[in-house]
Amino acid sequence: MNQYVHGFVDEGFVLVPGVIEESTRATWRAAVDRAAAAVRAKPGDYDTRYTLRTEQETDTWGVSHIFEPSLYDPVFAEVFEHPGVMGFVHAVLGERLRFWTAHALWEPSTVDYELNWHKDNMETDRYSPDGRSTHVQFNVCLTDDDCFRVVPGSHKRPLTEEERAQAESKGTGTLPGEKVVRAKAGDVLFMNHHALHRGSGSAGVERRTLHVNLQAADEPTGGHTSWRFMRQEGYLDRMTPVVREMMANTIAWDDAHPLSLAETMRRRRASQGIKGHEARAGGNGR
Ligand SMILES: O=C(O)CCC(=O)C(=O)O
């Protein structure tokens, strides 16, 4: 495990091969199939990610918040008990965790997926010279998946002018040193979302990937991800003990660290931008 943790710290991402055994993969994949079918049928009912969104037609590349009651499937909770996945997360973040996000990604049907260069949480200027991460984000690849592109090491230094121009213009151009990560079904890609990255993929080329983010329970930055659904009456009681504890830690941390009004407004604007975006060539970026 250590060699992978070193890779993650040094490069800002690491691909760990063959983490998810075939039978588990089939079960998780079926759960993502069900989520994709529900979202494709009624995209307006969910926090859907689009490559195309007009009044007449839509095409989608995933959905945010699969732990929302309308999408929740107990199978998703199994990810947080998988020793291969969680062994890595604990090695980086320690034992006590808090939940940030869990999303599902798939291939669009007709309009190619081209997500612009960015760092997550609208933290374009954030980096850490020693490679320390405030979180572990990971793609659990349930099919072969060549969609993730990253500039290795960009989590440890300021952006170059060229990178900044791409990030600020919501560009999808080629960047010096960028790497396409080529994952096989069953691999897990662990990433630091402060490494400059983007996604891309052809319509119709199958993709089923879980996209998850966790933090250490007392991480001082990030957080504020106690989504409304987590606070609904009885919701946490329906979760597995592991998920319940991570979400309870998120709620406790958020309550103890209220956001300033300015930061609340900044995040609201960022979230509106993300909800409205179309991840396609010439789209409106995120
Ligand atoms: O397609 C991917 O794997 C990247 C997704 C991503 O960067 C995002 O959701 O912010």
Side-chain angles (χ1 to χ4, degrees), residues 235-270:
Y235 176 85
L236 288 187
D237 297 336
R238 294 196 295 277
M239 293 295 113
T240 59
V242 171
V243 171
R244 185 182 312 130
E245 191 194 322
M246 288 192 304
M247 290 185 174
N249 288 342
T250 307
I251 292 171
W253 195 87
D254 285 7
D255 288 350
H257 302 85
L259 282 177
S260 68
L261 183 61
E263 183 57 14
T264 306
M265 297 311 286
R266 187 190 80 87
R267 287 179 187 225
R268 200 164 291 165
R269 278 195 301 276

Side-chain angles (χ1 to χ4, degrees), residues 99 103 126 207 241 262 282:
F99 185 93
H103 310 314
R126 181 153 194 147
R207 181 186 205 198

